[in-house]
Amino acid sequence: MASFVTEVLASSGKLEKEDLSSKISKMSRKVEDTKEEVCDMINKKYGDFLPSLQGSEELMVQVDEVSKEMDALKNCIENEVQQNIHVAMAEYAKLKQQLEKNTVIITMLGHLKEFHNAMEEFSKALLEKKYVEAANQLGRARANMHSLKGLKSSQLPLLSALSSELTVQRENLIYHLGDEWKRLVIWKLPSSKEPAGLKSFLKVELNLTYVCSKDGETKPPALLCCVLQALAIQGDLQNKIKLFSQVLLKNMLKPLVMFPSLSVRVTEQQGEGTILALQCLENSKEERSTPSQVYSKLLLVLQTLHSHLLDVSIGDKKLSAILGEIIWTEISQCIIHDCLLYSIPTNSSQLEKYNTVIRETEEFEKSLKEMQYLQGDSTDLLKYARDVNCHFASKKCKDVIVAARKLMTSKMHNTVKIAPQSKLRLPKLPAPSSAVKQESTKEITIENAKQLSVWSLCLPACRISESVQQLMELALNTLCEAVGSSTPCALQLFFTVRNIFQLFHDVVPTYHKENLLKFPHLAAIQHNNCMYLAHHLLTLGHHFGAHLPQPLSDGVATFVDMVPGFRKLGAQCFLAQMNVQRAELLERLSTAHNFCNLDDEDNYIAASKAVRQVIHQLKQLGTVWQDVLPVSIYCKAMGNLLNTAITEVIAKIMMLEVCLFSQPFHSYILWFQRCPTVFTCCSTPNDE
């Protein structure tokens, strides 16, 4: 009977479900027991640090067996549910939920097993100095740790213990890698307390360990390759190479660029390594290294590093490419500022020779690209070398402005004599275009038969500052450089000359302001300086315009617009000095007691003293101005001041209420007889 019932129930599927439920319950208990044992083992291993190797291995086997049973049971349930889904949905839902829970637990146990195995393999590889394998196993353990964190049923205390263990072992690996790096790449540097200089750099050495292959070719050792690849896997390679690059730049590459007497010595020690050391060239007396010298020294260092250290592939890049990305910008700027900048020609005749520098720079970058230090077609260094015309003009303009400013701030009292027959020493320029020749021919054919005097439109005789004459010569030389130059260069040079004159207009009155008001001699010189510049600016642009490239040759090259400003500047400076002298004259005459009661001894002495002071002042001005100012300006200035003094004296006398034939008036007559020079006009200067 029982067998018959059993057969009936089995045929209906109910007995199988009851047996299945019983199996799941037993399996759940078994899973929970296994979970507790595994977690307890893991806690003891990574939390309490208890030795439990044998127990852990047995548990791992138990975990594998439970996993297999769970997989078989899962497949059985899923098949049964699919066949009887229309009648057993509710019954199987509960069983499936319990199964999913058990599945999560089994997954967690699997990750714990993988984590444990990875850490065991890591420790073994680290002892055998298989750093790449150790780094990979550490990465495997980290991946299982992240998977455990994603499971909802993971225990937080357990994860904390595993995370701490992972961190400790990673730092342990980084320490071992750093220790190996220090043994393979050894720096000898001067003391940080020692001042930076040529002597301190002579103590710099870099020792690289290497091995030789069977064919004798040197290459980075296998251990170094493993160290570098392990650092890359751990994400610490970039930082390590960056620190190495900073030391390399500061103590070896930059000094080789900055000090022409420094060179690098490469010493091969059989079976030990290669030493790069800086040494001083005994016979070197140059202030700056030439580009070829700099390139050869840098290439020797970088080729040695590439052969013994950097010829290692990290992923899809060479280590030399990583180092190049870090150092190239800084080293190229150093080459530009300490080498190429000083090799730029100082005049246009040297531009052809500079092509050598461009070729040397191209070869230098080509060598770097072959070693994969550089990527791409063109760099800032090569662009700078090729833009020689622009740099030549910029350097020339900078030097011109510096020289001009030095002249403007120099002392003004050193003067030279300018005569009407004096002319600017204009250089010989190449023949202008045919159009200009035809135009000049037409101008000659329509000339007037009557000619102006030879001295027409000439600058009158006077004295100007020697520095202003030199400033004009500087402007002429700069314009000569612009003739025959490229259009951008010519434009830059031309407008630099305009900037020179504008700088004079703005700087000189401010820089010499106090002296121009204090010393009448300097005020007269400044007046002449401004008139001298204005005179030559009228024709300066016309002389050079036809020989400059367009658009300068189309009428842009002119300085005529600056002429009114210079004339006004000179006039204002001299008028300010005239006002100072006029005020001093009036102040001295104010002490004459209004020329009252000259019969009184005290009044007479005061009036006589005031007049003598006025005469002395006028004589002094005549002395300092007579040989400086043009004759017409000198006469007008002295006449104006003398007129001021006479007008003031007459005004004071006319205010007195006296009779022409009275005794007091007779005293005025006697006073004028005693001071006959009061109204005597100062002597006229010789016309030179």
Side-chain angles (χ1 to χ4, degrees), residues 319-384:
L319 192 58
S320 56
I322 299 176
L323 183 107
E325 292 173 357
I326 298 173
I327 70 170
W328 177 247
T329 299
E330 197 166 345
I331 193 63
S332 61
Q333 291 300 317
C334 181
I335 295 173
I336 289 173
H337 293 298
D338 291 295
C339 181
L340 287 185
L341 182 63
Y342 296 93
S343 64
I344 294 174
T346 55
N347 56 67
S348 55
S349 62
Q350 299 175 347
L351 286 175
E352 289 297 328
K353 297 180 180 179
Y354 188 80
N355 291 331
T356 304
V357 176
I358 298 176
R359 286 193 293 271
E360 290 171 349
T361 306
E362 292 172 345
E363 291 297 324
F364 175 64
E365 292 201 356
K366 181 181 178 182
S367 300
L368 294 181
K369 289 175 184 177
E370 290 174 354
M371 294 183 286
Q372 299 189 25
Y373 283 106
L374 284 185
Q375 309 293 327
D377 297 330
S378 184
T379 67
D380 293 339
L381 180 65
L382 187 55
K383 289 178 181 177
Y384 186 92

Side-chain angles (χ1 to χ4, degrees), residues 85-222:
I85 193 169
H86 59 285
V87 293
M89 183 67 71
E91 297 180 19
Y92 279 103
K94 185 177 180 180
L95 297 176
K96 188 173 180 65
Q97 185 179 4
Q98 183 65 36
L99 180 64
E100 289 175 351
K101 181 179 178 181
N102 293 341
T103 302
V104 171
I105 295 174
I106 289 299
T107 303
M108 181 187 74
L109 296 177
H111 287 310
L112 288 173
K113 173 192 171 185
E114 290 296 324
F115 179 88
H116 173 74
N117 291 339
M119 295 302 290
E120 291 294 327
E121 292 294 329
F122 163 78
S123 299
K124 181 180 178 182
L126 189 61
L127 288 174
E128 297 175 356
K129 293 189 176 183
K130 296 179 180 179
Y131 295 117
V132 176
E133 176 66 19
N136 288 330
Q137 291 299 333
L138 205 60
R140 178 183 161 198
R142 187 182 301 108
N144 282 281
M145 168 64 67
H146 290 318
S147 299
L148 285 170
K149 289 181 179 179
L151 296 176
K152 296 181 180 179
S153 61
S154 299
Q155 298 182 7
L156 292 179
L158 178 61
L159 289 179
S160 178
L162 297 180
S163 179
S164 298
E165 178 68 13
L166 190 64
T167 302
V168 169
Q169 295 304 327
R170 182 184 184 277
E171 293 302 319
N172 186 25
L173 176 61
I174 295 298
Y175 171 79
H176 279 79
L177 294 175
D179 191 54
E180 293 289 354
W181 173 268
K182 290 179 182 178
R183 288 197 309 104
L184 297 169
V185 180
I186 304 170
W187 279 104
K188 291 183 181 179
L189 302 174
S191 172
S192 58
K193 297 180 181 179
E194 188 174 349
L198 182 61
K199 291 184 179 180
S200 64
F201 290 125
L202 294 176
K203 300 178 181 179
V204 175
E205 283 189 8
L206 174 59
N207 193 337
L208 303 174
T209 303
Y210 71 94
V211 294
C212 290
S213 60
K214 295 181 179 179
D215 56 0
E217 182 184 358
T218 60
K219 57 184 178 182

Side-chain angles (χ1 to χ4, degrees), residues 462-482:
C462 63
R463 283 193 172 272
I464 63 170
S465 296
E466 186 179 4
S467 60
V468 170
Q469 188 181 49
Q470 294 172 354
L471 187 70
M472 182 57 70
E473 292 175 356
L474 179 65
L476 290 174
N477 293 334
T478 307
L479 289 173
C480 289
E481 291 282 353

